[in-house]
Amino acid sequence: DAGITQSPRYKITETGRQVTLMCHQTWSHSYMFWYRQDLGHGLRLIYYSAAADITDKGEVPDGYVVSRSKTENFPLTLESATRSQTSVYFCASSVQGIGSPLHFGNGTRLTVT
Amino acid sequence: TQLLEQSPQFLSIQEGENLTVYCNSSSVFSSLQWYRQEPGEGPVLLVTVVTGGEVKKLKRLTFQFGDARKDSSLHITAAQPGDTGLYLCAGPELNSNSGYALNFGKGTSLLVTP
């Protein structure tokens, strides 16, 4: 079925480890986004991408790396995980530019111990 | 980043009551979107408002975009337990290099009890 898939759904990792969260969409949407959701902060944009090989920082990019070599994939890497990166991470895609709805995955709950 | 402030933060009401939640900003937006998020899932789009003063209805939900396009409201008539969730407003912010990004308010958490 078409859609946006995030994996893993749950992840526990230790401080200092590198971890990659995967996001795959089957719609060939141009735009993709990574958000983190925390109590008291809501959804905050980490990185986004307007197309393959085009990425840009959002509100809270520090400690994260993204790549977009293919339109359908947009992995998010935590280079050296910290406890403050414990959060629920959502990937989203959008068919075109401004005003288009975002389609979200069901999130990855990441715990850094 | 253009800030979106939502109020109230939490709302607990009984089935059948009416309610209104608000989304305010000091910035002008070309459009605003409303999403609903249920526990364990990603947000799902409810509506997009584009024109100042626009009113859109989705069954018992009525969305309004302010005349100046700086604020929006969501009114629910005769709330039902199925309306329980986190209601988020979101507005686009242009970036000359990479297109646009969508910024979200912190949301209103609504609980409707039978």
Side-chain angles (χ1 to χ4, degrees):
Chain A
D1 289 337
I4 186 162
T5 305
Q6 292 186 237
S7 61
R9 190 68 194 273
Y10 302 93
K11 176 74 176 178
I12 299 174
T13 192
E14 295 178 341
T15 301
R17 290 193 179 266
Q18 182 181 84
V19 60
T20 296
L21 310 184
M22 304 302 293
C23 179
H24 175 78
Q25 53 111 348
T26 59
W27 289 304
S28 298
H29 286 173
S30 296
Y31 283 84
M32 295 190 76
F33 306 81
W34 274 107
Y35 290 88
R36 60 178 290 175
Q37 188 171 38
D38 306 282
L39 281 174
H41 291 283
L43 277 164
R44 291 182 291 174
L45 182 64
I46 305 171
Y47 269 96
Y48 60 107
S49 169
D53 298 323
I54 300 176
T55 62
D56 210 342
K57 296 177 180 179
E59 182 185 353
V60 289
D62 292 345
Y64 303 96
V65 174
V66 293
S67 62
R68 189 138 178 238
S69 58
K70 293 184 177 182
T71 301
E72 61 267 29
N73 295 324
F74 192 38
L76 176 74
T77 298
L78 287 67
E79 294 184 296
S80 178
T82 65
R83 290 196 180 89
S84 65
Q85 292 177 309
T86 292
S87 185
V88 181
Y89 291 85
F90 286 98
C91 178
S93 70
S94 175
V95 64
Q96 56 186 21
I98 200 163
S100 296
L102 262 60
H103 300 268
F104 282 85
N106 282 331
T108 293
R109 182 175 292 275
L110 176 68
T111 301
V112 183
T113 62
Chain B
T1 301
Q2 297 169 304
L3 294 176
L4 287 161
E5 298 197 3
Q6 293 190 243
S7 61
Q9 189 176 357
F10 300 100
L11 191 55
S12 179
I13 61 172
Q14 291 197 317
E15 183 176 2
E17 293 184 15
N18 302 331
L19 67 118
T20 303
V21 299
Y22 301 92
C23 174
N24 295 296
S25 176
S26 58
S27 303
V28 175
F29 287 94
S30 58
S31 63
L32 279 179
Q33 297 178 354
W34 284 91
Y35 291 78
R36 180 168 65 206
Q37 183 180 18
E38 299 187 15
E41 298 182 5
V44 175
L45 179 73
L46 295 173
V47 77
T48 300
V49 286
V50 178
T51 307
E54 181 178 7
V55 176
K56 280 192 173 179
K57 292 192 174 183
L58 187 65
K59 296 183 181 179
R60 294 175 292 99
L61 278 61
T62 302
F63 303 85
Q64 185 161 9
F65 201 11
D67 291 340
R69 292 186 287 124
K70 291 183 177 182
D71 56 86
S72 182
S73 63
L74 159 59
H75 181 80
I76 301 179
T77 303
Q80 298 178 0
D83 296 326
T84 293
L86 180 66
Y87 289 82
L88 297 158
C89 67
E93 183 171 342
L94 282 173
N95 178 302
S96 60
N97 294 325
S98 304
Y100 90 104
L102 200 64
N103 294 318
F104 284 80
K106 292 181 181 180
T108 292
S109 182
L110 172 64
L111 174 64
V112 182
T113 54

